[in-house]
């Protein structure tokens, strides 16, 4: 995922630029990655967009070491990426700081024009970007980065992005668009690094006195660490952390609509988004019908495979550790009495693939009821009353998204108000939209992204009192 940083107001201090010796110019023989063994033959990834160096101050920056990035579907190596450390992180902060001194003075109209050019280039290159995202097999980071960076740059901020180890190419590809769009050097910077260096790089960025805003999307555990670092210098933060979304189906619900919503909410990106439904609470009177139709929809509509294959709707999990967590949740549920309606094991396509799974007879003492699975597992809990469903939904210490299906207007208003989440989908399984504020409550984070409120996260309110004129 992505961490973005806003730089403090410009001081009367000129910091040195990154030494020329650290800068790599684009090479004519830049490698083109090939993905082998797909149904339609080798897929070429754009050499203009598939970058492997960091991006600092408008130039591509190498590092002393590299780390490999693999396609989780095939295991193929996509490239060796610059393993940036603390020196590169500090150079990125300095570059962003210098850029902020001028970028803050660019009018909103001019900034919007540059952002529009950036957007247009993304659309023009959407097929190549889609291939990169598919090769990384995780489309969520690119959406988060554009949402965060777009708001920050629109507000007149400059940013440093530290992408996740598994998915650096999306952020680096956006840097190559940004460059072509005329975004000034230093306004957008990317520092990829391996998991081994992530802790020290994150700490360096969070504790740098020139950084005044931290925006993070990731686990609640990591978010708490970053909050600790930010507290020492009282930095402003936005945190979009873990979820454990309930999906409630009341007796009055339209079953077919509820199943369609469940399919969209649970299995988008193979269950690997923080707003994916994680617990399905179904009222007793409609339970059996819902489970039957849900299982039929899973078997009929979901096709596991490589993202480069036309028929595929469910790709791999991001790595083997993620698959192991899904296996652990399923085996724990089975050992405590849950029934596997469909799926339940790794898929034969490859080691990072897991069958879309539906569990019934699930109880609250099972891991899948207590933790975010972040995978293609739908556990169904039967309930009797509205009060019981709301209590089960609210027992979690996180509250990002929640969904419920009902045709009772009075019940809709009651439940929507009582659910302890930041976003509610009523008879709707897909709720994300750029026009809407995205964020959660409790340990799901702080602040909002998207909408006008997302831009407010990157602005400070100042009161000025004039007198004596």
């Amino acid at each position: 995922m992505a961490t973005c940083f806003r730089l403090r107001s410009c001081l009367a201090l000129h910091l040195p630029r990154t030494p020329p010796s650290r800068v790599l110019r684009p090479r004519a023989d830049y490698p083109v990655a090939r993905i082998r063994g797909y149904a339609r033959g080798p897929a070429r990834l754009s050499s203009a967009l598939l970058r492997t160096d960091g991006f600092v101050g408008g130039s591509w920056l190498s590092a002393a070491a590299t780390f490999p990035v693999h396609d989780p579907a095939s295991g193929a190596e996509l490239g060796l990426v610059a393993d940036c450390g603390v020196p590169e992180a500090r150079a990125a902060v300095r570059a962003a700081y210098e850029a902020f001194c001028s970028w803050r003075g660019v009018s909103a109209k001019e900034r919007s024009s540059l952002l529009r050019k950036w957007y247009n280039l993304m659309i023009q290159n959407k097929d190549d970007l889609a291939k990169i995202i598919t090769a990384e097999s995780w489309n969520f980071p690119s959406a988060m980065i554009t949402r965060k960076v777009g708001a920050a740059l629109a507000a007149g901020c400059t940013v440093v992005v530290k992408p996740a180890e598994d998915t650096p190419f999306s952020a680096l590809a956006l840097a190559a668009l940004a460059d072509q769009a005329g975004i000034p050097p230093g306004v957008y910077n990317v520092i990829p690094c391996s998991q081994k260096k992530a802790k020290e790089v994150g700490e360096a960025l969070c504790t740098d006195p020139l950084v005044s805003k931290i925006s993070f999307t990731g686990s609640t555990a990591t978010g708490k660490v970053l909050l600790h670092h930010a507290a020492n210098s009282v930095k402003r933060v936005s945190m979009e952390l873990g979820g454990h979304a309930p999906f409630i189906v009341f007796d009055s619900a339209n079953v077919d609509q509820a199943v369609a919503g469940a399919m969209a909410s649970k299995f988008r990106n193979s269950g690997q988004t923080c707003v994916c439904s994680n617990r399905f609470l179904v009222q007793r009177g409609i339970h059996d019908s819902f489970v039957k139709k849900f299982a039929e929809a899973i078997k009929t509509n979901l096709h596991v495979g490589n993202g480069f294959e036309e028929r595929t709707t469910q790709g791999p999990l991001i790595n083997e550790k993620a698959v192991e967590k899904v296996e652990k949740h399923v085996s724990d549920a089975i050992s405590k009495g849950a029934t596997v309606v469909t799926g339940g094991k790794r898929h034969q396509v490859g080691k990072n693939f897991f069958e879309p799974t539906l569990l019934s007879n699930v109880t609250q003492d099972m891991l899948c009821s207590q933790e975010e699975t972040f995978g293609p597992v739908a556990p169904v809990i039967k309930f009797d009353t509205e009060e019981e469903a709301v209590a089960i939904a609210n027992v979690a210490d996180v509250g990002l998204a929640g969904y419920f299906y009902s045709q009772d207007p009075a019940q809709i208003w009651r439940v929507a108000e009582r659910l302890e989440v930041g976003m509610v989908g009523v008879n709707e399984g897909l709720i994300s939209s750029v026009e809407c504020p995205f964020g959660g409550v409790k340990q799901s984070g702080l602040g909002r992204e998207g909408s006008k409120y997302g831009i407010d996260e990157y602005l400070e309110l100042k009161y000025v009192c004039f007198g004596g004129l």
Side-chain angles (χ1 to χ4, degrees):
M1 315 211 202
T3 308
C4 301
F5 304 88
R6 182 172 66 117
L7 280 298
R8 288 192 182 278
S9 299
C10 181
L11 302 177
L13 173 66
H14 183 76
L15 296 174
R17 294 191 178 275
T18 305
S21 60
R22 302 302 306 275
V23 176
L24 278 188
R25 298 183 180 277
R27 301 185 298 269
D29 60 341
Y30 205 86
V32 176
R34 294 179 180 273
I35 312 301
R36 302 182 185 279
Y38 296 143
R40 293 182 130 185
R44 293 175 63 88
L45 303 185
S46 169
S47 60
L49 296 179
L50 189 71
R51 299 292 186 165
T52 58
D53 292 328
F55 188 70
V56 174
S59 298
W60 297 102
L61 180 71
S62 65
T66 60
F67 66 94
V69 177
H70 295 92
D71 174 3
S74 66
E77 184 179 287
L78 299 176
L80 293 173
V81 178
D83 194 1
C84 297
V86 172
E88 289 81 10
R90 289 175 176 162
V93 169
R94 289 196 300 271
Y97 178 83
E98 286 186 309
F100 179 62
C101 297
S102 57
W103 180 249
R104 65 181 300 194
V106 176
S107 69
K109 183 177 181 180
E110 290 178 87
R111 291 197 298 268
S112 69
S113 177
L114 288 171
L115 289 172
R116 172 60 68 173
K117 290 179 181 178
W118 197 2
Y119 164 79
N120 289 338
L121 282 169
M122 291 182 196
I123 298 303
Q124 291 172 21
N125 292 273
K126 63 182 180 181
D127 289 339
D128 286 332
L129 288 171
K131 288 181 179 180
I132 291 174
I133 292 170
T134 301
E136 287 185 321
S137 295
W138 205 12
N139 65 359
F140 210 42
S142 58
M144 291 184 297
I145 291 170
T146 52
R147 187 168 62 204
K148 292 173 182 290
V149 172
L153 268 57
C157 302
T158 55
V159 299
V160 177
V161 178
K162 192 207 77 62
E165 177 189 40
D166 297 307
T167 56
F169 290 123
S170 298
L172 292 170
L174 292 176
L177 293 168
D179 195 32
Q180 295 174 30
I183 301 296
V187 170
Y188 177 73
N189 306 273
V190 184
I191 299 296
C193 72
S194 63
Q195 187 64 35
K196 183 179 179 180
K197 291 185 178 179
K199 182 178 180 180
E200 62 185 47
V201 169
E203 182 175 354
L205 292 171
C206 289
T207 58
D208 194 300
L210 296 180
V211 175
S212 64
K213 168 66 187 275
I214 301 169
S215 177
F216 172 74
T217 297
S219 70
T220 298
T222 302
K224 290 178 179 179
V225 173
L226 298 180
L227 281 169
H228 174 76
H229 291 320
N232 289 330
S233 52
V234 197
K235 286 178 170 56
R236 191 171 178 181
V237 297
S238 296
M239 294 280 159
E240 196 272 278
L241 308 177
H244 191 32
F247 188 106
I248 307 172
V249 186
F250 291 104
D251 280 343
S252 67
N254 180 307
V255 179
D256 293 333
Q257 289 181 1
V259 168
M263 291 288 289
S265 177
K266 173 71 261 183
F267 295 107
R268 59 184 298 197
N269 207 44
S270 300
Q272 298 176 104
T273 82
C274 49
V275 292
C276 280
S277 297
N278 208 65
R279 301 168 288 160
F280 290 82
L281 316 178
V282 186
Q283 200 158 11
R284 185 174 298 275
I286 207 171
H287 175 274
D288 292 350
S289 175
F290 175 84
V291 170
K292 180 181 178 181
K293 291 188 175 184
F294 197 9
E296 291 172 351
I298 291 172
K299 295 174 183 177
T300 302
N301 299 318
L302 299 184
H303 305 285
V304 178
N306 198 288
F308 285 95
E309 297 170 356
E310 191 69 28
R311 189 168 179 262
T312 296
T313 63
Q314 298 290 287
L317 298 187
I318 192 62
N319 52 41
E320 190 166 11
K321 184 178 179 181
V323 181
E324 291 171 353
K325 182 179 182 181
V326 173
E327 283 183 320
K328 180 181 178 181
H329 279 202
V330 172
S331 62
D332 171 80
I334 294 173
S335 70
K336 294 175 180 175
T339 301
V340 177
V341 181
T342 186
K345 62 183 184 299
R346 294 198 191 206
H347 199 280
Q348 61 185 8
V349 172
K351 68 176 184 178
N352 288 336
F353 292 84
F354 201 90
E355 296 177 341
T357 299
L358 177 61
L359 304 175
S360 64
N361 299 318
V362 174
T363 55
Q364 294 185 64
D365 63 331
M366 299 175 184
L367 286 177
C368 59
S369 298
Q370 300 173 356
E371 302 175 358
E372 184 180 31
T373 302
F374 221 68
V377 177
V380 178
I381 301 172
K382 187 185 297 184
F383 72 89
D384 292 300
T385 67
E386 177 185 311
E387 291 71 21
E388 180 186 1
V390 172
I392 294 173
N394 289 342
V395 74
D397 59 5
V398 293
L400 188 58
Y403 311 83
F404 69 91
Y405 277 70
S406 171
Q407 295 297 311
D408 182 341
Q411 183 179 61
I412 287 173
W413 285 111
R414 286 196 308 270
V415 175
E417 290 183 353
R418 293 176 63 192
L419 283 180
E420 297 173 357
V421 296
M423 301 173 287
V424 180
V426 182
N427 298 326
E428 179 59 60
L430 294 176
I431 59 175
S432 299
S433 173
V434 295
E435 297 84 5
C436 303
F438 187 102
V441 299
K442 300 196 279 191
Q443 293 190 37
S444 280
L446 302 166
R448 292 296 182 269
E449 297 177 1
S451 76
K452 65 178 183 179
Y453 303 104
I455 295 181
D456 287 345
E457 294 290 331
Y458 296 90
L459 297 172
E460 296 285 2
L461 186 64
K462 179 185 287 186
Y463 163 63
V464 179
C465 178
F466 275 79
L469 296 179

